[in-house]
Amino acid sequence: MRKWQLERRKRTRHFIELGGLVVKSGIVDLTGDDRATIFGALLWSADKLKNDQGERARALWAAKGKHAFEADPATRNKPDRTAPAARR
């Protein structure tokens, strides 16, 4: 398999995993799968991370996410993938 094909598969897998997190969070059901609302929520989150309280928000969200992963039997014994790939 060519290098570009491997990179494309890796990128596709990454997108699928991120989409899974969106679904797992419950936001799809809570918004009735309204993509504009979901996108708006993600944009709001990105703005929150850019302001002067960004590190605090990141720490709070990371703790909440880790707690949710630990509480979920499906993810409890999986390798830690809570940090972005660049930080692992």
Side-chain angles (χ1 to χ4, degrees):
M1 192 170 290
R2 294 190 169 138
K3 183 178 179 181
W4 69 266
Q5 290 172 313
L6 293 174
E7 290 299 318
R8 183 174 178 199
R9 283 187 177 187
K10 183 178 175 183
R11 181 174 178 254
T12 299
R13 179 178 176 89
H14 183 72
F15 286 164
I16 290 168
E17 289 173 350
L18 292 174
L21 291 174
V22 171
V23 172
K24 189 177 192 86
S25 74
I27 198 165
V28 174
D29 291 334
L30 292 169
T31 63
D33 199 9
D34 181 340
R35 290 160 192 219
T37 301
I38 294 168
F39 188 46
L42 293 170
L43 291 172
W44 177 81
S45 298
D47 285 343
K48 196 82 161 147
L49 291 172
K50 292 176 191 173
N51 74 26
D52 60 339
Q53 295 293 312
E55 287 304 314
R56 183 171 185 268
R58 183 185 315 273
L60 290 171
W61 296 344
K64 186 172 183 109
K66 287 178 183 180
H67 179 73
F69 276 130
E70 291 167 0
D72 183 355
T75 57
R76 185 178 306 133
N77 297 320
K78 303 272 182 181
D80 183 7
R81 296 186 51 113
T82 58
R87 295 175 135 188
R88 279 189 237 145

